[in-house]
Amino acid sequence: MAAASACRGAGCGPHCSSPSAAGAEEGAPAERMGRLSIAAGATTTCGKCDGGGPAVAVSGGAGMCQECFRAYLFGKFKLAVTSNAMVRPTDAVLLAFSGGPASRVALQFIHEMQSKAIQSWETSNLQALPAFGVGVGFVDESALSVRPEHETETATEDIKSIVSSLSPGNKQVHFAPLGDVFSSGSKDKAARLKEVLGMIDDETGRDDFVQCLRMLSLQKIALENGYTKIMLGTCASGIACHVLSATVKGQGYSLPADVQYVDTRWEVPVVLPLHDCLAQELSLLCELDSLKTQQLLDRPCSGINSLVASFVTRLREENPSREHTILRTAQKLKPFPFNKFSANGYHDFLPSRLRPKFQNVDTNESTFSEILCLICGSPFSESELQNLENTKHKAQKKIDLYTAHCCQSCHFQILPAATDTYAHFFSLLPKFWTEKVDAASASNSSLRDQIEDYLLEEDDVN
Amino acid sequence: MGSSVADGAKLQPSRAGSRLCVRCGERKAALKRPKTLEQICRECFYIVFEDEIHQTIVDNSLFKSGERVAIGASGGKDSTVLAYVLSELNRRHNYGLDLFLLSVDEGITGYRDDSLETVKRNEIQYGLPLKIVSYKDLYGWTMDDIVKAIGLKNNCTFCGVFRRQALDRGAALLKADKIVTGHNADDIAETVLLNILRGDIARLSRCTFITTGEDGPIPRCKPFKYTYEKEIVMYAYFKKLDYFSTECIYSPNAYRGFAREFIKDLERMRPRAILDIIKSGENFRISTTTKMPEQGTCERCGYISSQRLCKACVLLDGLNRGLPKLGIGRTKAGDGKEHAKHSERSTSSLQGKHGNFDF
């Protein structure tokens, strides 16, 4: 159980809205904290400011006092935000909040950046750079597990009170049940969600599928409410877990797409400002700063994702900086063109002193034509592309096209075992996913429609 | 497992052993294939096992007719099965290979001497000539001597570096065109993981190659790249092959152990995970700007090396000069200044300490 929750959102990379409070909400947080402070006990003064005060240790390094520790984490966050141009002054940022320490810290930090922006807007004469907006999105997964109603209510209230305590800057909170992503025509969305999940045999597959839905929910909230960025609290520990679990699932090719700071393959771009912070550090900060977290509604991850999480926990015990090393390995892999914001006109909004940083981004890669998996959004590897091409040429059934648009990993762990249930399975999926394939194949199928009456093969008709 | 037996009516109900083989449908299923969990009979198992290896050999054009191929034989299960299967396939499919066994005697009393006895028996059983090269002859040290000198820590570094070179030298001595080793899918998956864990992108990019060292004098290949360890054991067990199954007395390596255990757990949960890891390893997008070590030759012995001296020469130098720690760790070979800088940095910096895995 402890191991399972260690990766809350870990095996998920950018698909995760409840970003990796990894290791934080484990069974024995006190023990964990204890380890950190024991390490600190050796160093009585802060390694940074040489000031007194009780020091805390960061992974594998010297002790720091509370102030410096906070500044260290905030520095990492801010560096990630500014050097990747994550937030423009005109942006409205939707922060995906799970209630866990990682997204709690992200919320705190982005709030601080916003307060500062508001302050400088108010004091500046020109008022040229507006302050960006922040909203909070919470994906409610209570439909997936049986929970007493009062727990859900408490959690909801808590989240509202956490967000409302952050001012200035009015922050709206959006609660979205996971089932909402299913097409509005269906009467009972929760039932539909359960039916689809029931068709997925593989435990890991179900877990990953829920993560895909979670991302879709966030996209939906963002689109419907005019947000221009989605900010996740996915941290280094969560990414390290994802690196291993993606490798284990055979997604080596698409892996680099998920471990970058910026991911623009979705309609609303996703940013990961806590990319370089460890889960342990984030939960320690919550503890030190008494940032309230709310994890009543957390579901432990399962299957391979949970196995990987416990493996990473073990590695961390043996060497506290192992997660960073894993992350470093993944960062040596080549990212995809959609892993950065395109250069054109974008940086005009940046403060002038930052602009030079982005001048020499090469633009010839700015258009990407990657084929993405229908379900998980992974870019296709060569063999998957090959398969898709072959299917496009011979297949006339839409179901074949749908399946060819799923990556090999989703094919194995998410699609139902019996091929004759594919039609039903795809009909249940959120329209958002299937529509893309429909659009792509529209030209082809309309041709077919014209000659439909003259075709003899019955099973050929979709 | 026996819950959905349709033919349960005519056969004994739900005894797993009473099912028919899903492949031939004639004989009784004798085993559950570790790779696919299919229930098949012994004969079909032999067929699929051997055919998959044959397919791997053909698909990757591992051999050319007329080549002299050295089989790295330790007497353990992998190399024993490799020697057996390869000589079988060579005969059956007319590969036209000139096969022989090549063993390395590390000089570990109570371990290698016993396993070499096994290899000597294999020599007779499979009719393959055997050549043994020893550390003592090549380097003047046995592993027993080395362990006496340096203790049980880092001794595997010596053994690993020396063995790699010993195999090459033995093969060169016998004018082999290729060396085959018994590395199986589990080993490769494990290496992929370990390379991720320690951030070694250069090794990560080549650890899934089925043939390595093609630019060198004697390429090595791994016909068992896609063969599961469990199936190798199963094959050896059913065929009653004569192999040696004791762990090296100096071996237990905690890090390998970690990853190995993880892979075993994974396999239990999803057998195809091992193949998936290998697939991931093959498909990683290694950036072209990633710095790869330059391949040169050792100034002293002429063996391939990315440094001025090859690792074996550095280690040997240390042993002979009574400084066995020389060449162990992250420092560059024989560079005193570098060493000082490194140790200075590692005491003061926050990052850069991500351990050192030994093989």
Side-chain angles (χ1 to χ4, degrees), chain B residues 302-321:
Chain B
Y303 188 71
I304 45 157
S305 167
S306 55
Q307 309 288 329
R308 197 170 58 85
L309 293 180
C310 72
K311 193 81 180 164
C313 283
V314 174
L315 291 175
L316 199 57
D317 214 32
L319 280 174
N320 291 333
R321 283 165 48 193

Side-chain angles (χ1 to χ4, degrees), chain B residues 259-284:
Chain B
R260 176 126 296 207
E261 222 176 277
F262 173 61
I263 288 189
K264 292 288 165 223
D265 289 343
L266 269 177
E267 190 189 3
R268 228 165 286 139
M269 201 174 269
R270 179 186 286 187
R272 76 175 233 158
I274 292 177
L275 290 180
D276 276 342
I277 294 175
I278 299 177
K279 191 176 108 193
S280 285
E282 290 168 338
N283 287 344
F284 277 137

